Amino acid sequence: MDIRKKSGVFRADGIRPELSETVLTGCDNRAFAVLYEEEQAFVIHGLASVLANGAHKLALRLLAFNQTPEGYCQASPFAENAVKPRSGEYGHFASDEFSAWIVPSAWEWFLYSGDAKFAAEVWPALDRELAYIAAHLGGDGLFAQRLETSKHASNMNCGDTERRLFMDLVCWMGWRDGARFARALGRTTRADELERLATAHAAAIRRAYLQADGTWRTFADDKKTWIHHGAYAMLLASRFLTADEAKALVPRIARPGAGKMQALLARGLLEYGFTARGLRQIANSTWYSLCDPQWPGAHTTTECMFLTTTGFWDESHPDTAIADVYSAYVLGVTPTTPGFRTFRIAPQMTKDLTFAEGRVPTSYGTIEVRWDRRDGETSLAFTVPDGTEAEVVLGGRKASFSAGRHTFAAPVSDADLADPFAALQADDASAGVIRYEHVASQPYPTPDYVYEPFFDLEKVRGLEQIVLTAGANRYADRIEVEVATEAGRYEKVTARSGLSATDGKAPVAFDVRTAGGPQPARYVRFRMTDLPPVAANRHAVRLEEIKFLCSE
């Protein structure tokens, strides 16, 4: 599907016109023919536009067919496979993490499609997958990773058998969403059992990864809280956290490198109502650039959101798509029972948005929504299709509506929409210092990966110097610094090489001043290459601190 295809499905002020008139679905059927491992794409809010063309249903059926007797689903099976795998045949990407995604992904598909007949067809495969996960839980209640199925999104080779927060969250989502799926099919006893497993696994996650000071480990055996921003994004997007935990976590998260994790983080921020920050995550990446009529590359969202034009690699990853951000959060339309038989309209707004309108297709008909914000009040006009019921939540008010055209209004002031993170690092920033602690990449099997952490300084500042400290760790050998005053318009301003020989306790400073004085910058992006070793066959960047020294 061409992401630049003008559809009129969504429109809002304060969002760039070329994006607001576009459906960003990220892939076409070709992607599913080649990259079935991307079944995980739809786990956080499915896309109605993709449900309509049947690709997701096809992928679920393919994964269910390529399942071992024990319940393991081959992560990226070939479409031409005609023989079901035998015990121990894990496929060319042997990954328990990718296998486990089938359950939350299938629930998301069922929730949005309401196709009970196909749900009953695919349920036995989901139940076998859940039994497989249960068989590999350790005594501590966490998933016990075996070597032979240890590939995952952060490691393309077998060998990482650590207990990882990201993997345990995927398992927890399997129990939670498996229970929802079973209950919707009338399998009450199994649903109750899965809910108990979800509760037990959530408790195990908190025991292993949540520390006394409220920070989260991302590897159970690490003594430090090295931040894997993908795992932190998943804590938010899966809605695992309490509201207070989410608010405490958000300031610690830098923009993840991979596009799929950036999309997760945007959704996670919006899940907890941090609307302005969530929409900035999108604006600060490269989704807008893909909508540029002059863009010469593929018309699909990419895995890492690098703007590449070198072939199919990295250019068709639906888990980086963001169309649902606008329907599910800005319009606020989400199903509460499969197929939108009942649904909720709970718009999320920012001070910069005064209206939004859009259409959400369902099997019952199209849901149309428009909201306008003026003089401290928000008015909502919407259509409820025949056979459905809607709950509207707006400005602290709540009401239910049956089929028909309706209006609703509630007071919503700018104060109600204040961004709780607008004064990021307020005390330090007022003194000209913005500080981030414990910034780290995911571990990679070789040093030849690129880590690109991104930072938003919240407004254009006069940037004079950036200081990195690795502490007991080592630096990447080469670090480039890019800055921008507008999202996506980066220029390289400085670089240093040979840093791997530098003692991590010795700070590394980058002077970014121009001949005329401080460098104007709001956005800062690093490009770190030749990553240092942190363990056998593991390379990662682990920084104790990054400081941005600014003049206002």
Side-chain angles (χ1 to χ4, degrees):
M1 182 175 293
D2 187 339
I3 67 167
R4 296 181 289 194
K5 183 177 181 181
K6 299 297 177 67
S7 66
V9 168
F10 177 86
R11 197 163 65 90
D13 68 334
I15 295 176
R16 286 180 57 172
E18 63 267 38
L19 184 62
S20 65
E21 297 176 6
T22 303
V23 180
L24 295 177
T25 56
C27 67
D28 55 21
N29 285 333
R30 176 185 56 170
F32 284 92
V34 179
L35 295 171
Y36 281 100
E37 71 270 27
E38 297 304 335
E39 172 59 25
Q40 63 177 293
F42 301 93
V43 63
I44 306 296
H45 290 303
L47 305 177
S49 53
V50 175
L51 295 173
N53 70 24
H56 196 185
K57 188 173 176 178
L58 174 64
L60 285 170
R61 185 173 277 134
L62 182 74
L63 290 169
F65 178 80
N66 287 277
Q67 186 177 43
T68 69
E70 294 79 19
Y72 168 91
C73 289
Q74 290 188 352
S76 50
F78 295 107
E80 59 268 28
N81 285 357
V83 178
K84 289 182 69 67
R86 295 170 295 185
S87 295
E89 292 184 347
Y90 302 119
H92 67 278
F93 195 85
S95 171
D96 286 326
E97 179 184 291
F98 279 30
S99 175
W101 272 111
I102 188 175
V103 179
S105 181
W107 165 247
E108 205 70 17
W109 163 82
F110 185 23
L111 181 61
Y112 276 74
S113 71
D115 188 343
K117 181 178 179 181
F118 184 70
E121 175 190 328
V122 78
W123 168 252
L126 306 184
D127 207 21
R128 285 192 295 271
E129 173 66 42
L130 293 168
Y132 173 82
I133 295 172
H136 293 91
L137 294 178
D140 56 4
L142 303 177
F143 187 78
Q145 182 61 64
R146 297 179 299 152
L147 177 66
E148 55 267 38
T149 50
S150 58
K151 294 183 181 182
H152 56 80
S154 301
N155 194 337
M156 300 296 102
N157 299 294
C158 286
D160 185 359
T161 58
E162 290 186 285
R163 294 172 297 170
R164 299 178 296 114
L165 175 59
F166 193 95
M167 178 60 184
D168 278 301
L169 286 171
V170 174
C171 294
W172 169 75
M173 291 169 65
W175 308 128
R176 180 196 66 185
D177 294 343
R180 293 168 171 173
F181 206 110
R183 199 169 298 285
L185 291 178
R187 300 174 182 272
T188 305
T189 300
R190 181 59 168 153
D192 291 343
E193 181 182 358
L194 292 171
E195 286 178 354
R196 288 192 292 271
L197 286 166
T199 300
H201 207 136
I205 288 172
R206 291 182 178 281
R207 286 194 301 270
Y209 300 105
L210 178 58
Q211 302 194 111
D213 62 357
T215 58
W216 289 82
R217 293 175 175 168
T218 52
F219 300 96
D221 298 320
D222 276 1
K223 300 207 182 324
K224 287 199 172 186
T225 316
W226 294 116
I227 299 174
H228 176 229
H229 294 288
Y232 276 18
M234 182 60 82
L235 278 169
L236 294 167
S238 65
R239 206 164 181 84
F240 183 85
L241 303 173
T242 66
D244 287 341
E245 288 171 342
K247 191 171 183 178
L249 178 69
V250 167
R252 296 178 55 82
I253 305 178
R255 169 181 163 268
K260 63 181 71 177
M261 299 304 176
Q262 294 172 30
L264 268 185
L265 180 55
R267 293 183 177 98
L269 291 165
L270 289 155
E271 276 289 328
Y272 286 90
F274 305 133
T275 313
R277 201 171 183 89
L279 294 177
R280 278 203 303 274
Q281 287 294 320
I282 296 170
N284 291 343
S285 189
T286 52
W287 279 283
Y288 288 167
S289 298
L290 295 174
C291 298
D292 190 330
Q294 304 303 315
W295 166 241
H299 302 171
T300 53
T301 54
T302 71
E303 181 176 17
C304 296
M305 295 305 287
F306 302 149
L307 297 178
T308 61
T309 59
T310 55
F312 192 73
W313 179 83
D314 188 49
E315 294 184 14
S316 189
H317 279 71
D319 48 355
T320 310
I322 55 166
D324 59 296
V325 165
Y326 300 101
S327 62
Y329 301 108
V330 180
L331 289 182
V333 180
T334 53
T336 52
T337 56
F340 287 88
R341 226 289 299 159
T342 62
F343 61 93
R344 179 178 293 115
I345 303 176
Q348 292 191 27
M349 308 168 189
T350 74
K351 290 192 292 184
D352 298 325
L353 296 180
T354 61
F355 84 91
E357 63 181 357
R359 303 193 306 272
V360 179
T362 79
S363 58
Y364 291 91
T366 299
I367 300 168
E368 297 182 358
V369 176
R370 178 179 173 111
W371 57 259
D372 292 89
R373 199 168 59 82
R374 184 180 295 109
D375 299 329
E377 182 169 90
T378 296
S379 60
L380 182 68
F382 56 97
T383 301
V384 180
D386 289 342
T388 69
E389 297 178 356
E391 178 187 63
V392 173
V393 181
L394 182 66
R397 296 181 179 177
K398 185 183 297 185
S400 298
F401 296 87
S402 56
R405 294 183 178 275
H406 305 278
T407 59
F408 189 72
V412 180
S413 68
D414 282 355
D416 296 327
L417 303 176
D419 180 359
F421 304 106
L424 174 68
Q425 309 285 351
D427 293 339
D428 280 344
S430 63
V433 179
I434 298 176
R435 187 189 317 269
Y436 288 85
E437 297 180 347
H438 300 304
V439 175
S441 73
Q442 60 201 36
Y444 296 104
T446 63
D448 54 348
Y449 283 77
V450 180
Y451 178 48
E452 291 189 308
F454 160 92
F455 300 90
D456 182 355
L457 306 183
E458 298 296 326
K459 66 178 182 179
V460 176
R461 303 176 186 273
L463 186 58
E464 298 187 357
Q465 192 177 58
I466 303 171
V467 181
L468 280 58
T469 305
N473 308 287
R474 291 169 57 188
Y475 296 99
D477 192 65
R478 179 173 174 81
I479 301 176
E480 300 175 3
V481 179
E482 300 173 326
V483 301
T485 56
E486 298 180 30
R489 299 180 179 275
Y490 286 97
E491 293 184 6
K492 186 171 77 171
V493 293
T494 188
R496 292 184 61 176
S497 298
L499 294 174
S500 59
T502 304
D503 186 340
K505 294 184 176 63
V508 170
F510 295 84
D511 191 336
V512 297
R513 287 172 290 192
T514 68
Q519 173 76 55
R522 172 172 174 173
Y523 308 106
V524 181
R525 182 170 68 188
F526 297 91
R527 181 178 174 84
M528 303 185 184
T529 53
D530 196 0
L531 307 186
V534 293
N537 299 317
R538 293 182 68 212
H539 299 259
V541 173
R542 292 180 171 178
L543 300 175
E544 293 279 8
E545 182 181 74
I546 297 179
K547 288 193 298 186
F548 299 94
L549 308 183
C550 309
S551 61
E552 295 298 323

